């Protein structure tokens, strides 16, 4: 999943199927969803529909996020996919996500998850990311 954030804390998650060629194409895109970091932190579990630009709804993504410290400097975040599209000929999909920070039209990679092999309902490892990486440390965007 690719997660894009803007200075407003706006995020976009894109789930991608890992192929042996190592190149992510539109055909490997399993779907995307948009949310704010504030939405994710304020709910125990934020469930969003994954949508593909060309093929419509393609499963769900659950986001569990919380502040790790009282200063809100660190955010613990975990993503879990549900009912993802089967992309592999022999087997299921091998999904992963990426987190990008969006600044205007610029994208900066923050984090790439591990691949969960042969799984249409993956639960990726929990990660800690600094709020300054996600939304420039602007507390009102948390």
């Amino acid at each position: 999943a690719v997660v894009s954030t803007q200075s407003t804390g706006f995020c976009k998650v894109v789930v991608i199927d890992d192929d042996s060629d190592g190149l992510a194409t539109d055909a490997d895109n399993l779907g995307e969803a948009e949310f704010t970091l504030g939405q994710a932190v304020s709910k125990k579990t934020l469930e969003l529909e994954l949508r593909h630009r060309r093929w419509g709804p393609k499963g769900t993504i659950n986001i569990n996020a919380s502040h790790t410290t009282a200063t809100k400097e660190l955010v613990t975040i975990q993503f879990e996919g549900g009912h993802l599209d089967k992309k592999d000929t022999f087997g299921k999909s091998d999904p992963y996500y990426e987190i990008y920070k969006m600044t205007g039209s610029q994208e900066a990679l923050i984090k790439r998850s591990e691949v969960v092999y042969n799984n249409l309902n993956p639960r990726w490892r929990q990660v800690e990311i600094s709020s300054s990486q996600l939304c420039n440390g602007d507390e009102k965007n948390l």
Side-chain angles (χ1 to χ4, degrees), residues 99-127:
I99 300 175
Y100 287 89
K101 181 177 185 174
M102 302 295 290
T103 308
S105 62
Q106 302 295 313
E107 295 182 1
L109 180 64
I110 297 172
K111 172 78 180 157
R112 175 179 287 152
S113 77
E114 76 280 10
V115 175
V116 177
Y117 292 98
N118 203 30
N119 197 325
L120 300 180
N121 299 292
R123 183 181 179 113
W124 291 280
R125 281 194 287 267
Q126 180 175 289
V127 295

Side-chain angles (χ1 to χ4, degrees), residues 16-67:
I16 303 163
D17 179 40
D18 182 57
D19 282 337
S20 56
D21 62 16
L23 302 173
T25 65
D26 193 47
D28 299 322
N29 181 317
L30 293 168
E32 56 189 60
E34 298 177 354
F35 65 98
T36 65
L37 188 56
Q39 284 177 310
V41 171
S42 68
K43 295 186 179 286
K44 184 175 181 187
T45 301
L46 178 62
E47 182 175 339
L48 300 170
E49 182 179 70
L50 284 173
R51 298 186 65 81
H52 190 279
R53 298 186 281 288
R54 297 186 349 216
W55 302 304
K58 292 290 180 183
T60 60
I61 186 103
N62 290 330
I63 305 161
N64 296 299
S66 62
H67 293 292

Side-chain angles (χ1 to χ4, degrees), residues 3-11 35 37 41 65 73-77 79 99-102 110-111 128-138 141-142:
V3 181
S4 302
T5 68
Q6 295 178 339
S7 59
T8 59
F10 180 77
C11 301
F35 65 98
L37 188 56
V41 171
E73 176 51 31
L74 290 177
V75 176
T76 301
I77 193 163
F79 293 95
I99 300 175
Y100 287 89
K101 181 177 185 174
M102 302 295 290
I110 297 172
K111 172 78 180 157
E128 274 190 351
I129 301 172
S130 77
S131 60
S132 59
Q133 283 183 292
L134 288 171
C135 55
N136 298 325
D138 188 348
N141 296 325
L142 300 177

